[in-house]
Amino acid sequence: MRETDIETDINITLLSPMKMATLRTTTAVGTYQLKDLVENTILLPLLDDGFTIGDFEIKDRQITVNYLVETIEYCLNNLSNKFNFWWFIDKYKVIHIKDISNMFKSNPDYIYDDTHRIGGLQYIKPTIHSDDYANVVNFKNVRIYEYSRVNFSNSAMNHNPLIDKQIAVLKKDGQVDFNYPVDINEKNIIKSGKSNLGEAQWDEVEGGDRYYYGIKVQGSYSDNSTFKFYIRYNATKKIFETSTNLGFENDGKEFTLIKDSFFSNLVTGFKYNGESKSIKSIELMNSDSVLIWNVNKLYNDKAITEKKGKISSTGIVETTLDMNESWKTIQELRDIGISYMDKNSLKLNGTIELCTDKEIFEIGKIIDIDKFLITGKYIITEIREVYSNNDMNYYIIAKNSNMLNNFIDIFRGEATQESENKTYKMYVTHYEEENIYERHEVVQ
């Protein structure tokens, strides 16, 4: 500091409400309903800071996520690319979340054609990006939840068998290894069962109760008596059940499941611990939640037909998404593929830039254009204000596809599959002058 009069320049960086989503974090591990996850978990840090939710229009569904201290921006971008919704936080700290398909179906907020003008329009510039277009989406490096059936008395019923042939004799400490790992987490058994068998179809009905099975094994001892063990979800009583003769290592049970070395909710076989008699045969071995490595293709037949003879003889344009060893149901893969195709469609013109000398447009609004060979509806995603030579110009970016620039595909390698049953211990420390207060929380 000096004792003279001097001019001091102070540089101030302003933090926009949208920027707050890149600085605040959230934790969500497990299975949720999408709307509840977004509203009551991911957005909670912002809502506590005085933000409010305006538009909230997304299709609800059950999903499994593993966000451990991730930014709100990452979580929303990750979900929006999977489930085709658009989100934005305006200058009044109001959070807008809208289904992209519904946005394009709604009436436009602005119209530009031969009979409707835009005041102060300087220019309109279209840009077409076709690099991301695809009408066939390939998924690789992904495990699919499927069901498994083994019935040695009726081989026609076999499907994705956990074992290929009948056992010879299984004595104490004998072990049976599965062809595929089985997920025994309750929520995943239910999710897989509903995806593969449907709400109205069930693996089995016993005594009026309906079940989804994590694992069920049924067979005979050497003295011709029978045995059965299982882990299952009783959908009638809505309870999770494990047979009394089944456990894990050191449980002292007759049968113990062998866990995967990394994922505690996966089992790779079972071990027999019986003392007095051996097992001579297995009759049934069923599961509604096996995980099978898969290469999956999703075709958009209508789009292929439209492009046939134009793009190529077949009209097929493929893209491949590396799912980084994640676990999905067929329906979840279908939703991701459809969302990808929706965002990268060539039906319209991609991206347009408009320039005006008046503040006319708002982010998130729809503009319908039929002018200068540009046709279709566009969502306004960005507005830049540029002040130069005493004039203010507004540069507007509007898109009809690739709404978030495929965030999920750029960063997909970071979203690895984590153990479903992993328990995290979170240390929360508060510093207050010379005292430190610490609290421990467990995140399942």
Side-chain angles (χ1 to χ4, degrees), residues 61-84:
R61 66 194 76 202
Q62 188 180 76
I63 62 169
T64 300
V65 297
N66 190 75
Y67 301 139
L68 188 64
V69 195
E70 298 284 2
T71 66
I72 293 173
E73 179 194 46
Y74 176 91
C75 297
L76 290 177
N77 280 345
N78 184 287
L79 292 172
S80 65
N81 275 274
K82 289 180 180 177
F83 304 117
N84 206 33

Side-chain angles (χ1 to χ4, degrees), residues 162 182-185 189 212-216 230-233 240 267 286-290:
L162 287 174
V182 173
D183 193 332
I184 57 171
N185 177 273
I189 292 173
Y212 289 132
Y213 281 93
I215 184 67
K216 174 188 176 182
Y230 55 80
I231 288 180
R232 67 192 184 186
Y233 174 71
F240 194 57
V267 295
N286 297 344
S287 173
D288 294 320
S289 55
V290 299

